[in-house]
Amino acid sequence: MTITRQVAERSTCLRARVGAVIVRDRSILATGYNGAPAGLPHCLDVGCLIYESRTPDGEIEQNCYRTIHAEINAITQAARNGSAIRDADIYVTHTPCIHCMKVLINTGIRRIYYEKPYKLHTIAELLSYARVTLTQVVPESRDAAE
């Protein structure tokens, strides 16, 4: 998770810094952070393009048209570099959103490790059908390490 948090520091999103690292056999296959597509203006430079939508439960969500999520950026980096990610694991600073979860399921990722919970209730049903496990990784306290 330390590397995932470092990747998140590259985020160009004003709302949250999210990082993702795809791993197989203790080797990093790809990394991603949330931000605008390569070569396009970043939220840090020109602001967010926020839109609101309503979930089936009636909850109002705000999202940014400009930003690609960290998980999707990691998947595209793997594809661009020819790295197969089926049966790999992904470490993410936050629980994947429902859209990223659907894509991760389709890629064949087998385990998702996350540090901070984010709207877990929105992905619960997907997880009940999917062959992917979701595990929270609790950071070690600095006092325990000393």
Side-chain angles (χ1 to χ4, degrees), residues 36-52:
L40 297 180
H42 294 283
C43 295
L44 286 174
D45 301 324
V46 295
C48 293
L49 289 174
I50 300 297
Y51 69 94
E52 288 187 353

Side-chain angles (χ1 to χ4, degrees), residues 20-25 27-31 70-72 74-76 78-79 83-92 96 100-114 126-127 129-135:
V21 178
I22 301 174
V23 176
R24 182 185 305 108
D25 300 326
S27 293
I28 295 173
L29 302 175
T31 63
E71 300 92 329
I72 304 302
I75 291 165
T76 57
S83 297
I85 60 173
R86 181 185 302 144
D87 297 326
D89 301 333
I90 188 168
Y91 291 80
V92 192
C100 288
M101 181 60 76
K102 291 184 284 188
V103 173
L104 290 169
I105 290 167
N106 269 4
T107 64
I109 290 284
R110 63 182 177 167
R111 289 186 293 253
I112 302 166
Y113 297 98
Y114 71 96
L126 279 178
L127 286 171
Y129 295 107
R131 292 186 191 147
V132 63
T133 61
L134 182 68
T135 304

